[in-house]
Amino acid sequence: MADPALSTTRIRAGVLDRPGVPVRIETLELDPPGPGEVRVRMAAAGVCHSDLHVRDGEWEREGPIVLGHEGSAFVEALGDGVAGAFPGLRVGGLVALSWLIPCGACRACRGGRVWSCSASPSYTHRMPSGRAATHRPAGGGGEARGGDVLTYCAIGTFADRQNVPAAAAIPVPDGTPAEVAALIGCCVTTGVGAATKTAEVQSGSSVEVIGLGGVGLSCVIGAALAGARQIVAVDRVAAKLDLARAVGATDGLIAGPDPAETLAAIRDLTDGGPDTCFEAIGLTATIELAIACLPTGGTAVLVGMTPFGVRASFEPFPFVDGGRRILGSNYGSADPAADFPRYAALHLAGRLPAERLITSRIGLEGIEDAFAAMRRGEGVRAIVEFEAG
Ligand code: APR
Ligand code: ZN
Ligand code: ZN
């Protein structure tokens, strides 16, 4: 009998037909893994605000598309050519899925800045060959297969099975919990890397983090790992401050409706402003706050993604005069193949408490409720669990 992992399979997936409509759970057909692809059985997927940006139409994306870009999975089968090129991948092994799949050939990849790869299949939401591996079942019209369904960032983790490009599947050390491996796929890498790689937070320095979702709390974890002396956590939701303290923040501050008041409170707490301030929401008001609160020589790190077209402003004179800096940080300046196993090892050593970010566990049908909670600022990470089998 043919290996079922190498044949066309029915999967359950959360599909967004077009921006602005609810995610619907559908049965799709998944093709056998093609050359350079890996068939995986999803273990866990996190619901990230970037999925919500797409769901709400703040970022225009082609549809229909299986959403989800944070996940971990077990390898079920390797397509042609994968075993030789990716010797670390073995059937049954747990992998964290990277939403940035380096092409390996562009200027950024050759320059060691793989997080900014410009030719990645992540941006076409298709396999590296250009095909979509999932499609709707054939209708009654006698056609061989239904219409193609894309997969977000070419990994579409809101599905019980997927084909992913081999370079997206990063093996993690034995013993790494599947949920933690999923979070390493996006929020942990984005936040911990923003602090330790993009900003290179100095030991003994002061840090402020505005916005305490999965990404912001990971900035807190990264700043603590880097040995920051003071970490001020800011959110409009009080419960988030307690969580931040549990992962390393030294102070918490509620952001009220008046940014001038928040600014004064931050300056008060940090002896005139933090050495490094992370903005992990993606709102004009908090981006401007992160820039305004800097002392001489301070650095604002913009981590939150805004809707396309949004602008923010600042006064240039103090920047030049006081040697201030603004850095953009995408995916925590990650090289996923090197950084994912490192973050997993730090977790296993008890130094990266990613499990604290998990505030609910849901099935695929719970995704819309998780989005609604995220809009209200409730909870941190909802983890989609998949049944084994
Ligand atoms: N002031 C302070 N905190 C705020 C404000 C505000 N005006 N508005 C929202 N927040 C808080 C929310 O209460 C929440 O705790 O910001 C946090 C945002 O967290 P999530 O919605 O869980 O988002 P997350 O998944 O962490 O992503 C944050 O990073 O990668 C990007 O696209 C992503 O832009 C998003 C950002
Ligand atoms: Zn994400
Ligand atoms: Zn590249």
Side-chain angles (χ1 to χ4, degrees), residues 343-368:
Y343 295 146
L346 283 166
H347 171 76
L348 291 171
R351 298 181 59 202
L352 200 160
E355 76 289 350
R356 299 264 191 162
L357 309 184
I358 300 167
T359 47
S360 65
R361 292 179 175 80
I362 59 175
L364 281 172
E365 60 294 330
I367 288 170
E368 277 293 321

Side-chain angles (χ1 to χ4, degrees), residues 48 50 69-70 99 186-187 381:
C48 174
S50 297
H69 64 282
E70 187 173 88
W99 62 250
C186 185
C187 66
R381 271 307 191 258

Side-chain angles (χ1 to χ4, degrees), residues 69-104:
H69 64 282
E70 187 173 88
S72 66
F74 294 102
V75 174
E76 284 199 319
L78 307 178
D80 284 348
V82 173
F86 296 87
L89 285 176
R90 58 179 175 82
V91 170
L94 181 69
V95 293
L97 297 172
S98 169
W99 62 250
L100 189 281
I101 300 143
C103 76

